[in-house]
Amino acid sequence: MESVLSEIEFLALSANRVRVLDQLAESEYSRRDLAELTGASQPTLGRILHDFEERAWVTRGPEGYAATATG
């Protein structure tokens, strides 16, 4: 249970993380599209997407990023 709570805390501590994951839950997007949709900078998106990939919340495909079932 503590692991789940720490994952929720990780997500909730950043409005940018929430916005990015919310967008990716809807569709697959490129980093450029995510920047426009969320207002996050490219460096911020890079960190967020890297963290999400490590947690298996997103996958990167030829067209961009998409949320996994876990994400």
Side-chain angles (χ1 to χ4, degrees):
M1 176 82 155
E2 186 174 319
S3 175
V4 173
L5 292 177
S6 66
E7 294 295 300
I8 292 169
E9 180 182 28
F10 165 78
L11 183 61
L13 287 175
S14 169
N16 282 327
R17 289 183 196 132
V18 173
R19 283 192 290 269
V20 170
L21 193 57
D22 187 48
Q23 289 297 320
L24 293 175
E26 298 295 323
S27 186
E28 186 172 326
Y29 291 102
S30 69
R31 277 179 64 161
R32 181 174 295 172
D33 291 339
L34 285 170
E36 290 177 17
L37 291 166
T38 65
S41 68
Q42 287 295 330
T44 297
L45 278 173
R47 285 189 301 275
I48 290 170
L49 292 169
H50 176 76
D51 289 343
F52 285 179
E53 284 182 296
E54 283 188 339
R55 286 173 167 77
W57 290 0
V58 300
T59 58
R60 182 173 25 179
E63 301 298 316
Y65 294 86
T68 63
T70 308

